[in-house]
Amino acid sequence: MQLLPEPVRRLAAWCAVILLVAGVVYVGSQVSVTLRPAIVPVLLALLGTALLLPVHRRLVRAKVNRSVAAGVTCAAVLAVVGGAVYLVTVALVDTWDQIVASLRRAVRQLADQFGASDTSLDDLADDALDLLGRFGGTAASGVLTGVGVAVQVIGMAVLALLLVFFFLRDSDRATGTLRSLVPAGSADTVEAMARRAFEGVEGFMRGTTVVALIDAVFITIGLLIMRVPGAFGLGAIVFIGAYVPYIGALVSGAAAVLVALADRGFLIAVWVLGVVLVVQVLEGNIFQPMVQSRTVRIHPAVILVVLTAGASVAGIVGVLLAVPATAAAYGVVHELQARYTPDGDPPAASPSAGPPPES
């Protein structure tokens, strides 16, 4: 005799599944945070591999040795990222004092415009700008003197780059290695899930790269037209920032506006802000839907939620990894739906969806 009706038993079963999944996710996140120096480079290397694998494949098809192709790909990425970071750092460090002074002048002009000069608003603006200057100096000195943190970050970056090299070089063995680690009866399912997860990450990285390139080109052209110094460096930070949805656009746009304010004045800074906003609107309504409709599409509300969750769990690293992890989860869920839904037909595994099978 059933003590509970069928709907209640189904609800209880779903609650048990949700609690079990939440517990596994929580334990996994805590373990990941504890082992962050080892896990973060692996995850970053997987993202880099998903982005760079098409380049490596082209070189291999051109009869380049796999190790040489992986080395050339990693060297090119290192040169591009290093050059962009150098240009951005030089542009911001050289103009920091000018930025603070221009902000002071801009706030005073606004205070005069609204008749608030020599009032508490003006004093509050001065205090806020002085605090900004002191905070910037303190933060910069803290970063420069944080040798331990810097060494750890550099070590993780070097490890991630080395892992990208090995992942690219040995990508043809990924399928065989994965199948050897799982029971034979579930090897096909696990391989298909892994391919769909990698396809989701690869699609996200590819689509984000295209959108980031479009943003960087348009904003750089606008900065060049308005003769803002360091336009190419600021365009580089726009490109890099695009890999962190919303937050990256905010930071890169603010950097462009501040540099314009420091060197070209308040009016040009307003025009730069207008250019950044127009490009972001075009990206959100035209570029991103067009590109991601061909790769992977995640609802903006889901992105905001996973960004918040990633930040609360692992800080900036969680923000960087939250959306790609969600793209991988989408791929796995779609694969499971195709396999276990009565009307679903499981898609055939395609070598282009992930690392090519072992030959």
Side-chain angles (χ1 to χ4, degrees), residues 12 65 86 92 116 127 129 145-146 174 186 192 195 197 213 219 277 291 300 329 355:
N65 180 270
Y86 174 78
L92 293 180
D127 294 339
L129 291 171
T145 56
S186 58
R195 286 187 181 276
L213 183 61
I219 291 179
L277 292 177
V291 173

Side-chain angles (χ1 to χ4, degrees), residues 313-339:
V313 171
I316 185 62
V317 176
V319 173
L320 290 171
L321 299 176
V323 180
T326 305
Y330 266 47
V332 172
V333 170
H334 290 161
E335 178 63 29
L336 292 176
Q337 286 178 340
R339 285 181 172 267

Side-chain angles (χ1 to χ4, degrees), residues 183-261:
S186 58
D188 292 338
T189 301
V190 172
E191 179 187 346
M193 291 170 58
R195 286 187 181 276
R196 289 295 291 266
F198 189 84
E199 181 183 5
V201 176
E202 192 175 23
F204 168 78
M205 297 298 291
R206 184 170 62 248
T208 302
T209 301
V210 173
V211 174
L213 183 61
I214 294 174
D215 288 355
V217 168
F218 278 102
I219 291 179
T220 301
I221 291 175
L223 294 175
L224 289 174
I225 292 175
M226 286 175 279
R227 294 180 294 172
V228 175
F232 290 104
L234 293 171
I237 199 173
V238 169
F239 180 82
I240 296 173
Y243 288 95
V244 184
Y246 302 118
I247 298 176
L250 177 63
V251 173
S252 60
V257 172
L258 289 176
V259 173
L261 182 64

Side-chain angles (χ1 to χ4, degrees), residues 34-104:
T34 303
L35 303 177
R36 181 165 50 187
I39 293 178
V40 170
V42 175
L43 297 177
L44 293 178
L46 288 174
L47 296 183
T49 303
L51 178 63
L52 300 174
L53 192 58
V55 179
H56 181 262
R57 286 173 179 156
R58 288 180 179 274
L59 292 176
V60 171
R61 291 192 190 112
K63 306 302 181 182
V64 179
N65 180 270
R66 297 191 66 87
S67 298
V68 175
V72 170
T73 304
C74 292
V77 171
L78 184 61
V80 171
V81 174
V85 171
Y86 174 78
L87 291 174
V88 171
T89 303
V90 169
L92 293 180
V93 169
D94 289 346
T95 58
W96 178 256
D97 292 335
Q98 294 178 342
I99 289 172
V100 174
S102 297
L103 282 174
R104 187 188 300 276

Side-chain angles (χ1 to χ4, degrees), residues 25 76 132 272 322 328:
V25 171
L132 176 63
V272 171

